[in-house]
Amino acid sequence: MAIVLAVASPPAPLRAQEPSDGAATVDSVEVVGNRRTSREAIVNTAGIPIRAPIGYRDIQRALRALYALAQYDDVAIHRYTGSEGEEIVVISVRERPLLSRTVVRGAEKVSERSVRDLIETPTGRPLDPGLVERARIRIDSLYEAHGYYLAAVRPMLLPQDSDHVVLLFDVSEGRRVAIAAIRIEGNRDFTDAQVVSHFKTRPEGFWWFRRGDYGEERLREDLEQRLPAFYGGRGYIDFRVVHDTLIVDRGSGKATVVVTVEEGRPYRVGTVTTDGNHLFSTDQVLSLSPFSDRPGGGLRCLIGGCGDRDVQWFDQGAWEAATQRLRTQYANEGYIYAEIRPRMERVESPDSAEPPRLQLSWEIAEGRPAIINRVDILGNEVTHERVIREAIVILPGDVFAQDRVLRSYQNISNLGFFQQPLPFPDTRPANDQGDIDLVFRVQERHTGNVNFGASMGQGTGVGGFLGLDEPNLFGQGKRGRLQWQFGRNINDFDLSYSDPALYGSRVSGTVAVHNSRIRYTVADLGRITTRGGSLQLGFPLPRSRYSRVFGSYALEFESYSGSSRGLAGTFRCANCVRSTVGLSFLRDTRVDLPFATAGAMHQVGASLTGGVLGGSAAFQRYDVETRWYAPAGQVGGGPASSGVRFVLGLATKSGFVFGNAGPFFRQLFAMGGTQYGVPLRGYDEFSITPEGFNPAASLGGVPRSAFGHSYFAATAEFGARFSQQIYASLFYDAGNVWASARGFNPTRLFRGAGLGVAVITPLGPLGLDYAYGFDRTDLLGRPAPGWKLHFKIGNFF
């Protein structure tokens, strides 16, 4: 009976107790408090021996083993002596409740999903208080990182039954901390305002956009990147941030950022030397230096009014950028193992009043150039390897050149057959001589599409379209295209097939047939019916991957009715025949198509119609077009990753027709709008004529004199390429048409400017331009500049 009473009423609190008389022999082990775990499992885990002496180490070992099960909130071991002198050990446990589910309440300003991702308490298992506390701390840190220093996180247990609980994280977010002030301590040569002006973290101000938002990551970048760059660019290479503190007033929700700095001393530039260069001359290497030989030709004086403006202060960022340019110059010549070590030696001036100098040098260990051993292509499951290798401009046996690797990467991306952005090529050692293998990795994407929907053109009205386009037929880069547009004013059928490598050669070929009936509602050009086909062959120029010469032949039959008959003039044919042979040259180095971000395109073409070829007219046409693109910056991403890329673009084009085009007035040049002829945004279709601006062009009745025999058009734009599908730009257009080729005189141009957006959708391209025409006039000839909206959907873009 004494034993039962002892077990039923164990001493409190429950703790491990050392035997009072040293080691003792245990006669039995009892367990109390267990509901889910069996007595045998607890006894076996504890491992207390029966009929053997035990000491305090045995009890400690048993406690550690039981706690390691993560099943109990508390474990105690007691020893009792029975009425007959037997030794009894009682293990008392308090089991943890089982977790049914976890709930988050109150998370609004920070997404609930972000909070849940920080909670690692598994359901259906005993609740671990350590994991609960860790989750609480992590959630609190998440809110602090978002600027919510006043947030409070309370974990609560909601019982469901005797064994199960619901874990609730109750979040009181409070207000976001606003930066009221940034205080700089330790600065001598620069004011607080000068230093803080280089922070992205700004105190709140009067205007709505100066909200003083706090972001831990943004402040960390200020202190670790922007602030050292500011001081380093002014010669303070010993600058460091000692510590930073965020002082939060929990009553007002305002905070002060206190940053303590050590500025050090500014250094001026001494000499710049180089050692170990053999591939490039010393003059070639030193030409990359950002510091001139003459002190007066260097950077501006460090501090306004500090004295001698001939002092050339060291710029850390410029020196690092020049070192990177030198590494790139060596990499472009294949010396990817070259070690460029920039050295800075501090030299004190004999005159204590003068600032110390930095003797700069580049120590170069060139090594040997890396040779391409293999070029491997991985991931192409549909596209034939030959198609990809045609785009690669660096081959096995070549000296590694970083610029050619980048160009190969861009060429593969331009194919449009793979997921974007492509991973940048890998290099791996090939042998002990330093040769390397180059690995291009691609991931196929669906290239063909069937599109259908509605289309609208400012010249042809509303209609529909059906299309099939496959730019990678049979995985061999061949293109097949079928397009049918239909409606009240249009019935246009086109079928074409292009092969970039006829019979595996570098000769390309394109064959196309079309049958179209179009009635132009703008300017009431009447109805034009065209049937015909063309054949074109392209031949690469020797030693050039980007230049081709094309020869072509086209045969068309045209019929006119309505107003177009008057425009075409009087002619003796039921079906006018146009037989044309053409020759053109194309050099295209653009990258990131369809919205180029770099490179250029130059095209010159000449065609002969009629004469010895027969047909209803005899004339010659010449076309010249050039486009240049230059990168203007990037936000996010990298050379091989996505991001917003800014680009400067310039395009010019012109054309000339010699001879009488006869009924084929569409081979002449009309300007204005975006739909028909040469685009000039900000003006109506057909409004730019050899006779000047025609304000009544959109009202109909355009005479044949509206079509010119020569033209010039130019566009300058600043664009933002968000992806291969989205492009936006600010543009400036200028152009004019002239009645004859001899009258070509691009000193009087009509001007327009505006903004545009282009989107490539699964159902076809879409473009929208909003432009201001500077040289528009009213019917009385008075200046009447204004805005014009241009849009095109489907095949018209």
Side-chain angles (χ1 to χ4, degrees):
M1 180 61 70
I3 295 175
V4 174
L5 291 175
V7 173
S9 303
L14 299 176
R15 290 187 177 87
Q17 298 178 359
E18 184 180 348
S20 58
D21 56 352
T25 301
V26 175
D27 295 304
S28 65
V29 177
E30 300 295 334
V31 178
V32 296
N34 58 310
R35 293 195 302 269
R36 297 191 308 270
T37 313
S38 67
R39 173 189 176 280
E40 290 75 12
I42 295 176
V43 171
N44 290 337
T45 302
I48 297 176
I50 304 297
R51 307 297 181 186
I54 65 170
Y56 71 91
R57 288 189 178 87
D58 298 296
I59 295 178
Q60 289 177 339
R61 185 167 52 249
L63 287 171
R64 285 195 298 267
L66 290 171
Y67 273 118
L69 295 176
Q71 294 279 346
Y72 313 109
D73 280 330
D74 193 20
V75 178
I77 298 178
H78 303 272
R79 194 185 71 191
Y80 296 90
T81 303
S83 59
E84 297 179 1
E86 67 272 24
E87 294 294 328
I88 304 171
V89 171
V90 179
I91 302 174
S92 178
V93 299
R94 186 168 75 245
E95 293 180 333
R96 292 175 177 175
L98 296 176
L99 179 62
S100 297
R101 58 193 177 95
T102 302
V103 179
V104 176
R105 182 174 66 189
E108 296 178 357
K109 298 171 183 176
V110 176
S111 71
E112 183 176 324
R113 181 175 181 179
S114 299
V115 175
R116 284 185 174 277
D117 288 343
L118 302 177
I119 302 172
E120 298 177 345
T121 52
T123 59
R125 297 177 60 183
L127 181 64
D128 187 343
L131 293 179
V132 174
E133 179 60 16
R134 186 168 78 167
R136 186 195 68 79
I137 294 173
R138 295 174 70 181
I139 295 171
D140 191 65
S141 299
L142 174 67
Y143 272 92
E144 287 187 1
H146 283 77
Y148 293 93
Y149 273 78
L150 306 181
V153 183
R154 293 186 304 161
M156 303 170 62
L157 298 181
L158 306 179
Q160 279 193 313
D161 52 41
S162 58
D163 285 333
H164 295 80
V165 295
V166 174
L167 176 60
L168 169 66
F169 285 93
D170 188 20
V171 181
S172 176
E173 295 181 322
R175 291 181 299 172
R176 188 171 189 174
V177 167
I179 303 299
I182 300 178
R183 190 168 71 244
I184 310 297
E185 297 180 349
N187 52 314
R188 304 182 313 273
D189 296 334
F190 296 95
T191 65
D192 286 13
Q194 287 176 306
V195 176
V196 174
S197 67
H198 292 80
F199 280 38
K200 277 196 172 181
T201 301
R202 296 294 181 88
E204 62 182 350
F206 173 78
W207 300 105
W208 76 93
F209 53 83
R210 289 286 300 274
R211 298 182 299 178
D213 290 341
Y214 171 79
E216 183 176 344
E217 186 64 28
R218 184 168 61 247
L219 179 60
R220 194 61 43 206
E221 291 177 356
D222 290 334
L223 301 181
E224 296 178 358
Q225 299 178 23
R226 299 183 186 94
L227 197 53
F230 166 68
Y231 272 95
R234 288 152 180 80
Y236 289 80
I237 61 174
D238 298 325
F239 167 84
R240 70 186 185 98
V241 176
V242 179
H243 60 79
D244 61 280
T245 306
L246 182 70
I247 303 174
V248 180
D249 185 340
R250 296 190 177 274
S252 63
K254 307 294 184 181
T256 300
V257 177
V258 181
V259 181
T260 303
V261 302
E262 287 184 4
E263 291 183 330
R265 297 178 299 170
Y267 286 81
R268 60 178 178 171
V269 177
T271 60
V272 183
T273 60
T274 181
D275 181 52
N277 54 299
H278 302 288
L279 178 65
F280 300 110
S281 68
T282 298
D283 289 340
Q284 288 176 307
V285 174
L286 294 183
S287 66
L288 300 176
S289 170
F291 310 111
S292 64
D293 294 333
R294 286 191 312 106
L299 303 175
R300 65 180 183 278
C301 184
L302 172 63
I303 304 173
C306 65
D308 188 2
R309 288 190 175 273
D310 284 341
V311 174
Q312 189 175 25
W313 299 99
F314 178 70
D315 187 332
Q316 181 87 40
W319 178 242
E320 292 174 354
T323 302
Q324 185 57 44
R325 288 196 299 271
L326 182 58
R327 291 193 178 104
T328 301
Q329 185 166 301
Y330 268 94
N332 286 339
E333 296 297 327
Y335 288 78
I336 61 175
Y337 302 115
E339 296 183 11
I340 315 294
R341 292 183 292 272
R343 301 293 187 186
M344 297 184 297
E345 180 184 353
R346 294 168 171 80
V347 178
E348 295 292 337
S349 175
D351 186 353
S352 59
E354 293 185 2
R357 300 192 312 273
L358 281 177
Q359 307 289 42
L360 305 175
S361 65
W362 279 312
E363 292 186 4
I364 304 172
E366 293 181 337
R368 64 184 298 273
I371 305 299
I372 302 297
N373 179 62
R374 290 171 52 92
V375 177
D376 293 332
I377 300 170
L378 303 178
N380 55 312
E381 299 175 353
V382 176
T383 305
H384 286 216
E385 188 168 299
R386 178 192 59 79
V387 176
I388 304 175
R389 290 194 179 276
E390 282 291 328
I392 299 175
V393 298
I394 190 166
L395 304 174
D398 290 348
V399 173
F400 178 89
Q402 185 169 291
D403 54 351
R404 285 197 287 160
V405 173
L406 178 60
R407 182 68 208 197
S408 300
Y409 166 82
Q410 293 170 335
N411 288 350
I412 295 175
S413 180
N414 277 355
L415 292 175
F417 304 156
F418 309 109
Q419 297 287 353
Q420 301 293 327
L422 291 176
F424 203 72
D426 296 329
T427 57
R428 60 191 181 199
N431 50 44
D432 296 337
Q433 287 73 41
D435 298 338
I436 61 172
D437 293 336
L438 193 60
V439 182
F440 291 89
R441 302 180 187 275
V442 298
Q443 182 179 354
E444 301 277 3
R445 71 180 180 91
H446 296 295
T447 54
N449 63 82
V450 177
N451 55 72
F452 58 91
S455 64
M456 180 180 296
Q458 288 175 287
T460 56
V462 179
F465 64 90
L466 294 171
L468 172 64
D469 189 6
E470 174 52 74
N472 192 17
L473 274 173
F474 319 118
Q476 296 183 6
K478 307 176 191 297
R479 183 173 196 128
R481 182 175 179 272
L482 183 152
Q483 191 76 24
W484 178 34
Q485 296 184 81
F486 53 88
R488 177 179 180 183
N489 298 318
I490 185 170
N491 193 330
D492 189 359
F493 179 85
D494 287 283
L495 178 65
S496 64
Y497 172 78
S498 297
D499 189 339
L502 289 173
Y503 300 105
S505 68
R506 296 191 63 198
V507 178
S508 63
T510 300
V511 60
V513 295
H514 63 272
N515 188 333
S516 66
R517 174 188 55 79
I518 299 177
R519 180 179 182 273
Y520 289 93
T521 57
V522 171
D524 190 20
L525 293 186
R527 179 175 296 175
I528 303 173
T529 301
T530 304
R531 305 182 310 278
S534 63
L535 174 65
Q536 177 179 269
L537 295 176
F539 303 90
L541 291 185
R543 302 179 181 274
S544 176
R545 286 181 171 268
Y546 309 108
S547 302
R548 280 182 172 266
V549 174
F550 295 91
S552 63
Y553 177 75
L555 182 65
E556 285 187 344
F557 301 88
E558 293 191 354
S559 299
Y560 304 88
S561 62
S563 299
S564 59
R565 179 180 295 275
L567 283 173
T570 303
F571 43 87
R572 301 177 181 176
C573 62
N575 288 319
C576 302
V577 178
R578 183 169 70 91
S579 179
T580 302
V581 63
L583 183 68
S584 63
F585 166 80
L586 172 66
R587 178 172 175 80
D588 193 350
T589 61
R590 294 174 295 174
V591 297
D592 290 330
L593 297 176
F595 305 120
T597 59
M601 187 275 287
H602 309 283
Q603 186 171 13
V604 179
S607 62
L608 172 66
T609 299
V612 297
L613 301 175
S616 304
F619 60 93
Q620 301 87 44
R621 173 169 167 160
Y622 302 91
D623 295 277
V624 179
E625 181 176 3
T626 58
R627 297 177 182 268
W628 295 274
Y629 299 92
Q634 181 171 332
V635 176
S641 59
S642 60
V644 180
R645 300 188 179 188
F646 299 100
V647 59
L648 292 173
L650 176 64
T652 64
K653 54 184 178 180
S654 57
F656 307 87
V657 172
F658 296 91
N660 184 6
F664 304 107
F665 65 90
R666 290 196 301 167
Q667 294 298 310
L668 302 178
F669 308 111
M671 181 174 289
T674 58
Q675 177 56 46
Y676 186 93
V678 182
L680 185 62
R681 292 166 287 191
Y683 299 84
D684 289 310
E685 307 283 342
F686 305 100
S687 60
I688 309 300
T689 74
E691 299 175 354
F693 176 72
N694 180 9
S698 61
L699 303 178
V702 174
R704 179 165 180 153
S705 58
F707 294 82
H709 281 68
S710 62
Y711 82 96
F712 175 82
T715 296
E717 68 179 20
F718 176 76
R721 180 188 185 273
F722 296 92
S723 68
Q724 279 196 322
Q725 288 75 38
I726 304 175
Y727 180 80
S729 65
L730 300 173
F731 57 82
Y732 182 87
D733 290 346
N736 204 351
V737 293
W738 293 274
S740 66
R742 292 184 178 181
F744 182 83
N745 183 14
T747 58
R748 173 69 176 94
L749 302 177
F750 292 90
R751 303 160 299 155
L755 53 92
V757 177
V759 179
I760 306 298
T761 71
L763 297 181
L766 180 148
L768 184 68
D769 297 299
Y770 192 51
Y772 186 83
F774 293 96
D775 302 305
R776 293 165 56 173
T777 60
D778 60 17
L779 294 173
L780 298 179
R782 297 171 299 190
W787 291 93
K788 179 71 177 179
L789 181 66
H790 306 277
F791 61 94
K792 291 179 288 188
I793 304 175
N795 193 45
F796 290 105
F797 175 66

